[in-house]
């Protein structure tokens, strides 16, 4: 997996015009309940954030693409939970992680709408909270507002973290 992401980062470095579509796809996959369990992409998003900081890639389109991808992934996960309810737990890869969905359900029950925002920032919860919100039929617009707002914040945090790492690394190299 690491090699594939490294190749993707090299591709973005060489073809900067593809940065936003690649980030959109990675953020979508990272936020989609089933894919994010199998292919964690947050590291690649941080690495692309470092590229943004170290090259001429514009931050704004990449940030917006990351937010749109993340929001779409959570929206689809919510829809899937809403549509398939209790059958979701029997679908692979969630069937391999039986406690994951119940933790997401507990989290949504306890925190309500803020769980959408909070859950986006914690790996396993990112995969299960939108599903649980759909299963429990969280009001659609409440979910979507929390989903979109948190997607923009999450995308900025990952990309800016990568940017900060690249700035710190270049400062360290110059200091040595």
């Amino acid at each position: 997996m690491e090699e594939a992401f490294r190749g993707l980062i090299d591709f973005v470095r060489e073809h900067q015009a593809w940065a936003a579509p690649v980030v959109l796809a990675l953020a979508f996959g990272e936020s989609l309940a089933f894919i994010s369990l199998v292919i964690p992409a947050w590291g690649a998003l941080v690495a692309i954030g470092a590229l943004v900081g170290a090259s001429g890639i514009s931050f704004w389109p990449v940030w917006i693409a990351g937010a749109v991808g993340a929001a779409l992934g959570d929206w689809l996960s919510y829809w899937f939970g809403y549509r398939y309810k209790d059958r979701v737990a029997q679908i692979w890869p969630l069937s391999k992680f039986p406690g994951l969905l119940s933790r997401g359900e507990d989290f949504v029950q306890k925190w309500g709408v803020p769980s959408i925002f909070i859950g986006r920032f914690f790996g396993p919860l990112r995969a299960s909270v939108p599903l649980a919100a759909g299963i429990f039929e969280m009001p659609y617009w409440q979910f979507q507002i929390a989903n979109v707002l948190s997607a923009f914040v999450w995308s900025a945090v990952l990309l800016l973290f990568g940017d900060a790492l690249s700035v710190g690394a270049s400062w360290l190299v110059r200091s040595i």
Side-chain angles (χ1 to χ4, degrees):
M1 185 62 55
E2 190 175 317
E3 283 299 314
F5 283 144
R6 191 170 295 131
L8 190 59
I9 303 306
D10 290 341
F11 175 81
V12 170
R13 183 180 295 116
E14 294 170 21
H15 308 284
Q16 294 181 3
W18 282 92
V22 166
V23 165
L24 188 142
L26 287 170
F28 176 77
E30 180 67 19
S31 298
L32 189 59
F34 303 100
I35 294 175
S36 67
L37 292 172
V38 182
I39 305 171
W42 68 269
L45 290 165
V46 170
I48 291 173
L51 278 178
V52 167
S55 71
I57 300 173
S58 176
F59 173 78
W60 301 104
V62 174
W63 171 53
I64 291 168
V68 168
L72 287 173
D74 269 14
W75 171 79
L76 188 55
S77 297
Y78 171 89
W79 175 84
F80 206 84
Y82 187 86
R83 171 78 169 84
Y84 293 102
K85 306 272 186 243
D86 296 330
R87 293 179 284 178
V88 169
Q90 284 79 44
I91 300 171
W92 183 88
L94 282 175
S95 61
K96 298 291 183 192
F97 303 97
L100 185 64
L101 190 55
S102 63
R103 283 197 314 260
E105 290 171 350
D106 292 344
F107 195 72
V108 169
Q109 292 284 16
K110 180 178 181 179
W111 292 96
V113 174
S115 68
I116 305 307
F117 197 97
I118 297 165
R120 178 160 325 267
F121 291 89
F122 297 99
L125 288 175
R126 186 171 36 256
S128 61
V129 165
L131 274 171
I135 289 169
F136 292 126
E137 298 181 7
M138 179 180 284
Y140 180 78
W141 287 111
Q142 289 179 3
F143 170 81
Q144 283 297 51
I145 290 168
N147 175 29
V148 170
L149 291 175
S150 67
F152 274 97
V153 173
W154 178 79
S155 178
V157 166
L158 285 180
L159 294 170
L160 292 172
F161 181 68
D163 182 35
L165 287 177
S166 75
V167 170
S170 65
W171 176 82
L172 183 63
V173 168
R174 285 192 311 261
S175 299
I176 295 178

